[in-house]
Amino acid sequence: MMPDPSQKRPSTRPASPKGLAVPRRLGHIWIGPKPAPTGWMESWPKMHPGWSYTVFGNDTLTGYPFRLRKLINEYAWRGAWAGVQDMMRYELLFRYGGFMADADAISLHPVDELLDQPRAYTVYDRPETDKFRGVCPFLACEPGNPFVSAVIDELAGLEPWELRKPEVSTGNRFLMRMIKDRAPGPETLSIFPTHYFIPWQKSAPDVWYDGPDRIYAEQKWGTSTFAYNRRNGPSSEIVPAEELQQRHRGLIDRLAGAFGDRQGSDREAMALRVAAAAKMADKVPGLLSRPDVVEDIAGLNATLCAAMAEAGVPVRFQGLHYYRHMQHQPLTEGKLRTRSDGLRRQLLGWLGSARQALVIGYDTGHLVLSALHHNPKLQIVATDAMRWPVEGDEDPPDRARYVPVACDWLARRFPDRLTIKAGPEGDLPAAIGGQVPPGGFDLILFADADIQALRTLMALRPLLARDAVVVAATASGDGGRRFAGRLQVQDLCHQVLADTDFGADRGSLSVFQLDRSDG
């Protein structure tokens, strides 16, 4: 049975005789598409009637001049709202001071007596015996707290693609590392015992703190218990899944729109490129039935299958945009995946209309092979990092084994028109050396864009022509279609030239002009 925290002995922590050292500013952050848990949030202003109260919502997210804007926008694009909230919290507390309550916590007692000095305050998130113990994002501080400033400085040194899960990059574990590294003194930071604000753990919901100290709040673990946006939850509003997606897209549009009109400098030239790509896409069915192309595809397939058989390993190809993923029969016995036809046409349309192309992620090599047949004047530089981005996959395709085989076959088949390597994308500029064409590459294609694509694009940006287009695709899901939005919220993308979702198991694609205003 849950104990009554009002019967607990008051905390022995002294209150400041002259009032709070932290401003009486109470705040909540609630951002993203889901309705706010007002049933929990309202307990805080009721318990603190003498405090000002502000809910920082989506208007603050999209309109406040955050120093960590590029990181905030990246997490917003991913839908990692906990990370967005972490960084907003740090900057708002540093600027204004006050107490920022968790939206998924219920206030049980005023916190005035805890905030006895001008310093930052947080709470351990787990018991001392837990090896994964960390600290929660800051609860309170005075304006300009030096340790909160150091946290913001540390985050400001990150690039968007370096962000991992919020807990690791911006939240509990990140802050614990900062505390261990910087060792702030008690005059700068105070850490409350876990039970002050977390009287029970999500791993043991029936076990409550039952000691002598007062409990100030009950953490409800809203995300972990899937409490949001459901019946009998902390909000009176329930939003359908389709509307949630629309709200998310609307937020991304607002974040992107903050940078103004992104139309490129030469709209007429871009219109001609779109028309040229469409014309080449119309020719793809004929291309893939040509005897010379069919013969080359068969030769590549035979080489790949022979290499896998010689190694004595099961056939597990990704089959990117050409064959069914992880098919059980060899490629020599498989047919082109008809569900990929629409996306495959568009990819070959854009590649075939280019002059000098960079291809990132060629997998079994069929896309590169077809594009070089499609446009006899096309020159391609291609690389594949051989990584498989699906974490925890117990049976991944053996990309490290078959990608080098495809690389060698293609290099022999097209020695004068193809520069190809198997290895990290970051090694590509050094690998191609002086082979960058005059004026740069006019197209860069991410054949299966993953979380590393933004980092790769920024590394290769100096190699691109001023009129270059970026083509981002995914073999399944909508990641390719959404990639332009990712660049827009970083103020890196001009007009979107194509934006197509072919369906959950058919993939997606976006094509856009990269902003090269940096020269």
Side-chain angles (χ1 to χ4, degrees):
M1 182 176 179
M2 186 182 78
D4 180 358
S6 66
Q7 301 302 312
K8 295 298 173 187
R9 188 177 68 195
S11 169
T12 57
R13 298 179 63 88
S16 171
K18 296 183 180 180
L20 290 179
V22 170
R24 283 187 172 88
R25 293 192 181 109
L26 179 64
H28 273 120
I29 296 174
W30 187 259
I31 38 87
K34 292 182 179 179
T38 53
W40 296 336
M41 294 166 64
E42 289 170 354
S43 67
W44 288 89
K46 289 180 181 177
M47 191 63 69
H48 299 80
W51 293 49
S52 67
Y53 177 59
T54 305
V55 176
F56 299 96
N58 290 327
D59 287 343
T60 307
L61 165 63
T62 58
Y64 186 86
F66 290 107
R67 181 184 173 193
L68 302 176
R69 170 57 68 189
K70 64 181 182 179
L71 303 183
I72 286 172
N73 285 10
E74 169 68 12
Y75 265 157
W77 178 83
R78 297 186 198 180
W81 302 113
V84 176
Q85 188 272 150
D86 290 341
M87 291 183 282
M88 290 177 64
R89 175 186 293 243
Y90 303 151
E91 293 208 44
L92 292 170
L93 281 175
F94 180 75
R95 171 66 178 83
Y96 300 109
F99 188 97
M100 196 73 74
D102 287 347
D104 62 344
I106 297 176
S107 180
L108 300 177
H109 192 278
V111 298
D112 305 55
E113 64 190 18
L114 297 178
L115 311 178
D116 58 345
Q117 293 185 30
R119 56 186 171 187
Y121 296 85
T122 186
V123 60
Y124 286 112
D125 63 354
R126 305 177 194 223
E128 188 173 1
T129 55
D130 194 320
K131 65 178 180 179
F132 297 110
R133 190 186 205 192
V135 294
C136 295
F138 297 117
L139 292 172
C141 71
E142 82 283 17
N145 178 273
F147 186 62
V148 178
S149 177
V151 166
I152 296 171
D153 287 344
E154 184 78 9
L155 288 169
L158 294 178
E159 295 292 348
W161 53 83
E162 294 179 297
L163 290 174
R164 298 166 63 191
K165 294 179 180 179
E167 180 185 11
V168 175
S169 292
T170 61
N172 301 39
R173 290 166 62 183
F174 160 73
L175 277 185
M176 197 65 171
R177 290 197 305 272
M178 285 286 295
I179 292 169
K180 291 178 179 179
D181 291 345
R182 302 296 181 99
E187 73 284 354
T188 302
L189 174 68
S190 177
I191 307 176
F192 299 128
T194 304
H195 57 265
Y196 274 26
F197 293 89
I198 309 173
W200 59 275
Q201 293 287 322
K202 59 186 177 182
S203 58
D206 297 327
V207 180
W208 267 68
Y209 169 76
D210 196 24
D213 290 340
R214 176 172 286 152
I215 299 174
Y216 292 87
E218 178 192 355
Q219 172 63 245
K220 301 295 287 186
W221 306 99
T223 300
S224 301
T225 59
F226 304 99
Y228 302 128
N229 199 40
R230 73 176 190 186
R231 265 187 201 139
N232 301 318
S235 173
S236 58
E237 181 185 11
I238 299 178
V239 180
E242 184 176 345
E243 184 177 341
L244 288 178
Q245 294 177 355
Q246 292 174 352
R247 289 185 179 188
H248 188 187
R249 286 195 293 268
L251 277 174
I252 298 304
D253 289 344
R254 288 176 65 184
L255 291 170
F259 300 112
D261 185 8
R262 282 187 181 71
Q263 294 297 327
S265 57
D266 195 342
R267 302 185 189 183
E268 183 178 348
M270 287 299 106
L272 291 174
R273 293 202 68 170
V274 172
K279 184 176 180 180
M280 294 298 285
D282 289 340
K283 297 179 180 179
V284 169
L287 165 75
L288 296 179
S289 62
R290 276 171 32 188
D292 58 333
V293 178
V294 172
E295 182 180 356
D296 263 358
I297 289 176
L300 175 58
N301 289 351
T303 301
L304 290 169
C305 291
M308 299 296 274
E310 183 178 352
V313 296
V315 176
R316 292 188 180 91
F317 295 106
Q318 186 178 359
L320 187 61
H321 305 305
Y322 274 74
Y323 293 94
R324 183 168 58 83
H325 170 57
M326 299 291 285
Q327 63 180 23
H328 297 292
Q329 73 271 21
L331 297 181
T332 49
E333 301 173 11
K335 296 181 179 180
L336 295 186
R337 189 172 187 261
T338 56
R339 288 185 178 180
S340 300
D341 181 64
L343 178 56
R344 190 164 52 227
R345 288 190 191 196
Q346 287 205 28
L347 289 174
L348 286 172
W350 282 100
L351 266 176
S353 62
R355 305 181 301 272
Q356 303 275 352
L358 279 170
V359 175
I360 311 300
Y362 55 81
D363 193 54
T364 51
H366 295 84
L367 192 65
V368 168
L369 184 158
S370 302
L372 290 168
H373 276 291
H374 201 22
N375 179 357
K377 297 181 180 180
L378 174 64
Q379 299 281 333
I380 290 180
V381 172
T383 188
D384 194 302
M386 300 179 288
R387 64 173 176 265
W388 183 238
V390 183
E391 295 184 8
D393 192 336
E394 297 180 355
D395 190 27
D398 198 354
R399 303 191 75 250
R401 190 179 302 275
Y402 69 74
V403 166
V405 176
C407 175
D408 292 344
W409 190 94
L410 290 164
R412 291 193 302 271
R413 177 65 181 83
F414 301 98
D416 300 325
R417 299 173 54 207
L418 176 64
T419 301
I420 189 168
K421 66 182 292 292
E425 295 98 334
D427 297 344
L428 190 58
I432 62 177
Q435 298 180 53
V436 178
F441 294 92
D442 67 324
L443 181 144
I444 180 169
L445 166 67
F446 293 91
D448 197 15
D450 62 13
I451 201 67
Q452 300 297 329
L454 177 58
R455 176 174 65 180
T456 302
L457 179 58
M458 291 299 97
L460 299 178
R461 194 181 185 191
L463 308 184
L464 302 180
R466 294 194 65 84
D467 64 344
V469 296
V470 180
V471 182
T474 47
S476 60
D478 66 348
R481 183 191 60 77
R482 294 174 59 232
F483 192 71
R486 187 182 188 193
L487 272 290
Q488 285 178 321
V489 299
Q490 297 296 338
D491 196 23
L492 296 170
C493 172
H494 278 315
Q495 58 184 314
V496 177
L497 307 175
D499 181 8
T500 309
D501 187 349
F502 295 92
D505 62 345
R506 290 174 170 81
S508 62
L509 169 141
S510 64
V511 184
F512 52 91
Q513 185 183 7
L514 192 66
D515 183 0
R516 294 304 312 277
S517 58
D518 64 339

